[in-house]
Structure formats: C-alpha cells, structure tokens
C-alpha cells in the first residue's frame, strides 16, 4: 500500500548535513529502498511502499541522532545506515558507530568506523588484549589500530604507545645506507608517522614522542624487552619471520594490549622464508583470548579505483 511521510528539521543546513550535503546520497537511498524523495528548505518527503517509507525514515532518524551527538555524517556513514536497514540479517546501526568513535585530539575530527567490518574490528579491540587485523590495503586496519592506541593513551588506560614494523627491504644492507641510524630507518617507519600526524596536532606528536609516551622503532628493537602498561602495534606483520613474530608476541607485559596488522597477499620475504603472520594465524586461531578480524574487499575505503585494482590482481593471480 502506497504511503508518504514528511520529516521536518529546524534548518535546511541541518537536513543537508544528514545526507552529507550531497543529493547523490539521497538518490542512493531512493534506489536502494524503492522510495521517491523530495526535499526543500528544512523538510524531506518520502513516498512509496509503506515498509520502504518506514525504512527511509529510520535511516534519517539514525543519522539525525548521530549528527546531534556530534558525529558528522559522511557518505560512508550514510551508506552504512542504508545498508543496515536493507540487510536481511540484523546489522549494527549508526548508533553503534557513534558509540565506537574515538576522540583523540581537540584539534582533529574523531575517528569513526566507516564499514561494519571496521566497527567489528574496533569492538574486538575492546574485548581482547591481542587482536590481529588482516586484510587488503585501504581497509583501515593500521589506522584504526593506531587510533585505538592513542585513545587508550589519552584515557590513561596505558602509559605509552609503541609502534613498530619490520624493515624488510633494508635487510643486511641497512649499514650501507647514507646517514645516521635514525635517517636510515625513517623511510620504513614513515607511514606510522603519517598516521600520527593525521590524528594529532604536530605539537602534540612532538611532545608525546619527547616524553616517551609514543615510541616508533623497527621490530628488531623489541628483542629483550618486556612491555608493561603499553599498547603495542606491529604493522606489516606479514613481513615478519616466524622467529620475529614469536619474539614480538612474547614481549607483552602486564596491563598491555597488542595489535597486529598485515596483508598476507603482500609478503616481501624471500621465497624460502615463511611469514610469521601465516604461522600465527594457523597456531593461534584456536586461542579464545586472541581475536582475528579478516577484512573483506568491501571494507576498502581508499579511492574507489583501489578496490578495482585489488579485484583485478586477485582475478589475474587466480587464473595463473
């Protein structure tokens, strides 16, 4: 039975914010839910099957609650809301996304999960002390791990954040590179610095590094240490050897959290060297206190062409 519903808001600006100031998003809602939408000034009117109109109003209601709570509406969040009401199985709503957001710096916007996979990943970090985030490039696995670590540091749950990754490309040739040790290892740690400066102001990063609250170092520097009251992130874990991965996992001390990220489709080790990440997946999956989150292609949030590149390479490799 055809139905119609008009939703009114205090200003057109507020309403436009609910669909991320882009009428193309409202068109997505119409196509996905099978409704027509008309909007002017501060109102939007939905027409169509009764159930579809109800779903459209539900989407707008969730987005309104999120926006009033301080979470800005993006295209990703809008699509997330639409996905939630169209899914046959129950899926978390926008409220769950709002509750999972991480406010790290007053000078930067909050970090918000953009897909259901990212939301599940953050929820695993809340419930487990050792979490593996595994998936293709662009899924946010490292970015979200770092956001969680910085949030824990801000809230006083840990006293320091330690970021590390293997410098595989350097190998034994590290000593032949120009410059002092810091200059030699910086290129391999640069992605971690980039993420830090994206979440914190420059003065905040420099202050936290200077006082030792944030440490960025190659994986080799972890040997022999016991890391207490820390959130430790191992990035590019697919490039660890089995010995390095075991060494890293056994550094974990009291009141600490360990987050490991990697992409098993991008292993840079020599062909006769087994990836420590692969061995960890095989040996540790039965351990209930350790969580593994495997990102899907739909979790890729970089430029849309990245998803196409991943798909094309996967298809080509499958045919070989």
């Amino acid at each position: 039975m055809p139905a119609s519903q008009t939703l009114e808001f205090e200003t057109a600006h507020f309403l436009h914010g609910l669909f991320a100031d882009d009428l193309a998003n409202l068109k997505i809602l119409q196509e996905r839910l099978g409704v027509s939408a008309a909007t002017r000034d501060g109102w939007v009117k939905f027409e169509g099957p009764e159930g579809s109109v109800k779903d459209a109003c539900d989407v707008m209601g969730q987005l309104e609650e999120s926006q009033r709570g301080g979470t800005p509406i993006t295209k990703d969040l809008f699509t997330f809301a639409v996905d939630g009401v169209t899914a046959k199985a129950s899926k978390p709503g926008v409220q769950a996304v709002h509750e999972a957001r991480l406010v790290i710096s007053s000078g930067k916007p909050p970090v918000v999960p953009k897909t259901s996979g990212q939301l599940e990943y953050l929820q695993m970090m809340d419930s487990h002390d050792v979490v593996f985030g595994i998936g293709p490039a662009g899924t946010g696995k490292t970015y979200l791990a770092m956001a969680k670590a910085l949030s824990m540091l801000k809230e006083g749950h840990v006293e320091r954040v330690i970021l590390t990754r293997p410098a595989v490309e350097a190998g034994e040739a590290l000593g032949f590179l120009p410059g002092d040790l810091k200059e030699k290892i910086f290129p391999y740690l640069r992605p971690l610095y980039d993420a830090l400066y994206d979440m914190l102001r420059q003065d905040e990063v420099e202050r936290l590094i200077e006082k030792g609250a944030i440490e960025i170092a190659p994986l080799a520097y972890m040997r022999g240490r016991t890391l207490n009251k820390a959130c430790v992130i191992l990035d590019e874990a697919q490039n660890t050897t089995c010995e390095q991965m075991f060494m890293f996992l056994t550094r974990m001390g009291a009141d600490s959290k360990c987050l490991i990220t990697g992409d098993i489709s991008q292993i840079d080790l020599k062909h006769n060297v087994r990836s420590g990440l692969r061995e960890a997946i095989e040996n540790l999956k039965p351990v209930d206190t350790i969580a593994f989150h495997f990102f899907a292609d739909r979790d890729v949030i970089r430029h849309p062409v990245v998803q196409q590149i991943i798909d094309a390479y996967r298809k080509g490799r499958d045919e070989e």
Side-chain angles (χ1 to χ4, degrees):
M1 180 178 179
S4 67
Q5 180 73 46
T6 300
L7 304 177
E8 297 185 9
F9 301 92
E10 57 265 37
T11 65
H13 177 73
F14 183 89
L15 171 59
H16 294 169
L18 297 182
F19 45 84
D21 295 310
D22 189 348
L23 286 172
N25 291 327
L26 199 57
K27 186 177 180 180
I28 291 174
L29 181 147
Q30 294 179 75
E31 293 173 350
R32 294 281 298 278
L33 299 183
V35 298
S36 64
T39 180
R40 185 177 178 183
D41 299 326
W43 58 264
V44 59
K45 181 179 181 180
F46 297 113
E47 294 183 330
E50 185 175 357
S52 298
V53 169
K54 181 179 181 299
D55 287 343
C57 293
D58 184 24
V59 168
M60 299 300 288
Q62 290 187 48
L63 294 169
E64 177 187 4
E65 185 176 0
S66 180
Q67 183 163 279
R68 293 192 189 281
T71 300
I73 308 303
T74 62
K75 179 178 180 179
D76 294 303
L77 189 57
F78 187 91
T79 304
F80 187 98
V82 175
D83 287 343
V85 300
T86 57
K88 293 182 180 179
S90 61
K91 292 184 66 175
V94 174
Q95 181 60 30
V97 174
H98 176 72
E99 292 172 354
R101 69 178 185 152
L102 301 172
V103 180
I104 299 167
S105 170
S106 58
K108 298 283 186 174
V111 176
V112 180
K114 297 180 178 180
T115 68
S116 57
Q118 290 191 350
L119 176 59
E120 183 181 345
Y121 182 47
L122 281 175
Q123 291 171 336
M124 281 184 175
M125 294 183 208
D126 287 331
S127 57
H128 294 77
D129 287 334
V130 179
V131 179
F132 286 77
I134 302 165
T139 51
K141 53 188 182 294
T142 301
Y143 193 86
L144 290 174
M146 185 172 294
K148 185 62 177 178
L150 294 175
S151 175
M152 292 180 66
L153 179 66
K154 177 184 177 182
E155 295 171 2
H157 298 308
V158 296
E159 294 177 351
R160 53 184 172 156
V161 171
I162 300 173
L163 312 170
T164 186
R165 62 183 344 204
V168 171
E169 298 88 343
E172 297 300 324
L174 191 62
F176 296 98
L177 295 174
D180 59 22
L181 182 60
K182 183 177 180 180
E183 292 171 326
K184 290 176 182 179
I185 64 176
F186 181 77
Y188 307 104
L189 303 175
R190 180 60 185 267
L192 299 176
Y193 281 97
D194 289 344
L196 271 180
Y197 284 108
D198 194 46
M199 297 180 198
L200 296 170
R201 299 191 311 270
Q202 181 173 341
D203 62 303
E204 291 177 310
V205 175
E206 293 172 353
R207 175 174 54 81
L208 290 170
I209 290 178
E210 184 177 346
K211 65 187 267 189
I214 294 179
E215 177 185 345
I216 306 177
L219 181 59
Y221 282 41
M222 300 297 109
R223 188 174 298 277
R225 302 176 64 181
T226 299
L227 306 173
N228 296 316
K229 198 76 174 175
C231 185
V232 192
I233 298 175
L234 170 59
D235 188 34
E236 300 289 348
Q238 76 276 4
N239 288 330
T240 62
T241 64
C242 294
E243 293 76 13
Q244 287 175 327
M245 177 61 79
F246 181 76
M247 177 273 293
F248 173 78
L249 291 173
T250 54
R251 299 307 92 202
M252 188 175 175
D255 301 317
S256 291
K257 190 176 290 287
C258 188
L259 308 175
I260 303 99
T261 66
D263 178 1
I264 55 177
S265 71
Q266 295 190 18
I267 297 174
D268 299 317
L269 297 167
K270 294 179 181 179
H271 291 299
N272 62 338
V273 179
R274 191 182 186 206
S275 168
L277 180 58
R278 285 189 181 276
E279 183 185 49
I281 294 172
E282 294 172 6
N283 292 344
L284 299 179
K285 279 195 82 174
V287 182
D288 293 338
T289 53
I290 296 177
F292 286 83
H293 182 76
F294 294 88
F295 286 94
D297 292 348
R298 63 179 177 274
D299 293 312
V300 174
I301 55 172
R302 290 180 179 171
H303 192 287
V305 75
V306 173
Q307 179 59 65
Q308 298 170 18
I309 291 170
I310 293 171
D311 292 341
Y313 267 85
R314 179 176 290 110
K315 181 179 178 180
R317 287 169 177 171
D318 290 343
E319 292 175 352
E320 290 179 357

